[in-house]
Amino acid sequence: MSQSQPDESAFDLEQITSTTFVKEVICHETIDSTNNFALELCRSNQVSGSLLILTEEQTAGRGRGENVWWSTEGSLAFSLVIDADEFRLPQELWPQASLTTGLAVCLALEQLLGEGHVALKWPNDVHLQGRKIGGILVEVGPRPSGKLVLGIGLNVNNSLAEAASELQARATSLFDFTGRDFMRTDVLTAILAQLEQQLSRLALRDPLLANDWQSRCALRGKTVEIDSGKKRVQGTCQGIDVDGALVVVTDEGPQRIFGGTVTHID
Ligand code: BTN
């Protein structure tokens, strides 16, 4: 008897809503940025509960600062809007939502690939064997909406062979790493399940959450240079602390950096 294969080209919305905490999904064929769309819905007060915005293609995917997010057919690009109150996330925990989201992506990838390949590159990248496979862009909805927009881009079935040569050297995809395609709905539901668990650990201020950031910190032990906006910090990275700060031992002693861009790694 022949078994019908699910269609990889389309997301299985029924699987998402029946197996995860997300009960509302908006799926676009093409859109500028799922984060832009999510923020717009928050602005016009059209979101109640958790809402997932998915797209097949983004024409203006955004990363941190001025960065653009390269995503082509076969990748995953989505934004999850959550209500911070529903997730019991008071405002003082919001700065840690990005690392927690990154951890959720790492854990979902570890379920697929096993442990040891995936790392968190502070503050918002997910790496697979030293190359970027995913990026996180967490944005706060207009006040007083109390909404957080967790934007996630992940290279799944797209190949970096199609990307600019400059990107090919720095990035990878699940396809490039394993040589096979993945059901994107399965990858997505694994991430959503992990997000529910890891955000709840954040809400409970689980002291072991920081251990999980730390053990996956791609910069630990490396010589780094960080541009934190106001200053440049150079030194040896000790990892990520309980508040999500990167700890860098400089000539003047250890410094805790709460935000910035890693400009150099040795
Ligand atoms: C980064 O690398 O700096 C973060 C990239 C985040 C990309 C995702 S894709 C889905 C969501 N929509 C966006 O415009 N950006 C995020």
Side-chain angles (χ1 to χ4, degrees), residues 32-36 58 60-64 67 69 76-79 124-125 132 134-137 151-153:
D32 59 347
S33 149
T34 55
N35 266 39
N36 288 356
Q58 275 190 138
R62 294 187 289 113
R64 290 174 69 241
N67 294 348
W69 176 252
L76 256 184
F78 64 94
S79 300
N124 69 319
D125 290 348
K132 180 162 172 170
I136 314 291
L137 181 63
I152 300 178

Side-chain angles (χ1 to χ4, degrees), residues 19-201:
T19 63
T20 75
F21 67 98
V22 173
K23 300 298 165 220
E24 204 184 337
V25 186
I26 299 177
C27 190
H28 291 268
E29 199 50 50
T30 179
I31 196 173
D32 59 347
S33 149
T34 55
N35 266 39
N36 288 356
F37 186 81
L39 289 170
E40 199 42 57
L41 289 184
C42 294
R43 216 163 277 130
S44 49
N45 238 335
Q46 293 183 59
V47 188
S48 59
S50 301
L51 168 68
L52 177 68
I53 297 152
L54 261 178
T55 189
E56 289 292 343
E57 183 196 43
Q58 275 190 138
T59 54
R62 294 187 289 113
R64 290 174 69 241
E66 301 294 299
N67 294 348
V68 293
W69 176 252
W70 174 86
S71 55
T72 47
E73 203 183 328
S75 67
L76 256 184
F78 64 94
S79 300
L80 177 70
V81 186
I82 60 165
D83 185 292
D85 279 348
E86 253 176 45
F87 273 77
R88 298 184 198 282
L89 291 171
Q91 211 168 320
E92 74 261 21
L93 293 177
W94 294 359
Q96 294 166 29
S98 183
L99 273 176
T100 306
T101 301
L103 175 65
V105 175
C106 285
L107 291 167
L109 292 181
E110 285 170 12
Q111 285 169 358
L112 298 169
L113 306 173
E115 285 181 27
H117 309 288
V118 186
L120 262 179
K121 183 172 161 245
W122 182 95
N124 69 319
D125 290 348
V126 176
H127 275 207
L128 177 59
Q129 292 210 319
R131 287 170 184 237
K132 180 162 172 170
I133 189 167
I136 314 291
L137 181 63
V138 173
E139 296 183 297
V140 177
R143 285 159 218 277
S145 73
K147 301 282 192 266
L148 293 179
V149 175
L150 314 179
I152 300 178
L154 188 70
N155 297 323
V156 181
N157 298 329
N158 50 324
S159 170
L160 272 288
E162 297 150 27
S165 55
E166 172 280 319
L167 205 58
Q168 285 183 15
R170 295 189 288 115
T172 190
S173 70
L174 281 179
F175 175 82
D176 289 337
F177 182 68
T178 62
R180 69 175 177 92
D181 276 343
F182 286 74
M183 294 299 299
R184 284 179 305 162
T185 306
D186 292 346
V187 179
L188 175 62
T189 54
I191 294 173
L192 293 173
Q194 281 297 339
L195 269 173
E196 186 180 24
Q197 284 182 40
Q198 303 313 317
L199 289 172
S200 120
R201 290 177 75 193

Side-chain angles (χ1 to χ4, degrees), residues 9 32 263:
S9 63
D32 59 347
T263 50

